[in-house]
Amino acid sequence: VSAPGATGRLWGVGVGPGDPELMTLKAVRVIQECTVVASFSAVRRPSNARRVAASHLTSHHEELRFVYPVTTEVLPEGISYDTLLRDFYESTAKQVAEVLVGGRDVAVLCEGDPFLFGSFMYLHSRLASHHPTAVVPGVSSVIAAASSVGIPLACRDEVLTVLAGTLPVDELSARLRATDVAVVMKVGRNLTKVREAVERAGLLDDAFYVERASMENEIVVPLSRTDGIDAPYFSLVVVPSRSAGDR
Ligand SMILES: C[S@@+](CC[C@H](N)C(=O)[O-])C[C@H]1O[C@@H](n2cnc3c(N)ncnc32)[C@H](O)[C@@H]1O
């Protein structure tokens, strides 16, 4: 994409929630035009964003695959999660910067939308002031999950709150009580806590658990029926509108 000798452009490319058909035309074009494609993944787990975009990757692409050093915040004493991750993002930003300085564009593949709880923002904060940067928005899991539930998410003057399931239960339930409709992301191993918060907020009968929205093995069940479910990373809770369509 860039002229030889020019600084390359950093692209944060949202590839949507999982169904490759939910990639935007622009995401596909940018991936096709960039010679270097970067993706993040956990150890021994392939990158979901890369899987979504895989049919658009060719042998002409050079790939940077960044593997997170840790997947849990609970670490042995003396090891700091924040330090490990800061060092990791410093090192990935340096590798991406080297490609950009060499004049080539880099497409960083991001699940959902790059600016909503995504790792891309840690590259963006380190690189955007030194290199031309652009973001291709993606269909977020927040929106995809509401479609999977099949009930409108928000209508008229309703307030939508997007929460992280990593928050303490008291804060989650207070935020849920204070809103009209909500999506709780990062459910996974926080499922029991999130369910308790939703119940305390009096919303259990209105909430849905959504696993792998838009993917082939998608699951949608009322949150009240999640006993025994071992929630994976790709799971969230939706409290949709209770008054959609009333007029
Ligand atoms: C680091 S955040 C990334 C969010 C992403 N940027 C987006 O816009 O959807 C990861 C969290 O997003 C949610 N998530 C992402 N994709 C999902 C999917 N297809 N189905 C359900 N939840 C998903 C899960 O709650 C997961 O823990």
Side-chain angles (χ1 to χ4, degrees), residues 3 14-15 19 21 39 53 66 68 91 94 98 108-109 145 169 207 218:
V15 299
D19 178 351
E21 286 191 339
S39 54
F66 300 126
Y68 295 111
S91 147
K94 209 166 146 232
E98 279 165 16
V108 181
L109 307 177
V169 65
E218 170 186 289

Side-chain angles (χ1 to χ4, degrees), residues 17 111-113 116-117 140-141 185-186 212-213 215 233-235:
E111 284 149 15
D113 182 85
L116 193 72
F117 293 115
S140 172
S141 58
M185 306 180 78
K186 304 189 183 186
R212 303 189 179 91
M215 301 183 201
Y233 175 76
F234 289 111
S235 58

Side-chain angles (χ1 to χ4, degrees), residues 163-169 172-173 176 184-200 204 207-212 219-239:
L163 297 162
T166 44
L167 287 169
V169 65
L172 276 175
S173 61
L176 287 165
V184 186
M185 306 180 78
K186 304 189 183 186
V187 168
R189 56 185 71 142
N190 299 300
L191 176 59
T192 307
K193 177 182 60 173
V194 170
R195 180 170 161 167
E196 187 188 330
V198 172
E199 190 162 17
R200 279 203 220 165
L204 187 59
F208 293 83
Y209 165 83
V210 182
E211 191 175 303
R212 303 189 179 91
I219 293 173
V220 180
V221 287
L223 183 61
S224 57
R225 287 203 237 129
T226 49
D227 290 325
I229 285 186
D230 186 10
Y233 175 76
F234 289 111
S235 58
L236 48 73
V237 165
V238 182
V239 183

Side-chain angles (χ1 to χ4, degrees), residues 23 27-38 50-65 104 107 109:
M23 289 179 73
V28 171
R29 178 182 64 74
V30 168
I31 291 166
Q32 286 169 342
E33 290 180 1
C34 286
T35 46
V36 182
V37 169
R50 190 188 180 284
R51 179 193 61 76
V52 174
S55 66
H56 305 289
L57 301 178
T58 70
S59 53
H60 300 298
H61 283 108
E62 182 180 320
E63 288 201 54
L64 298 173
R65 299 195 195 202
R104 291 189 296 164
L109 307 177

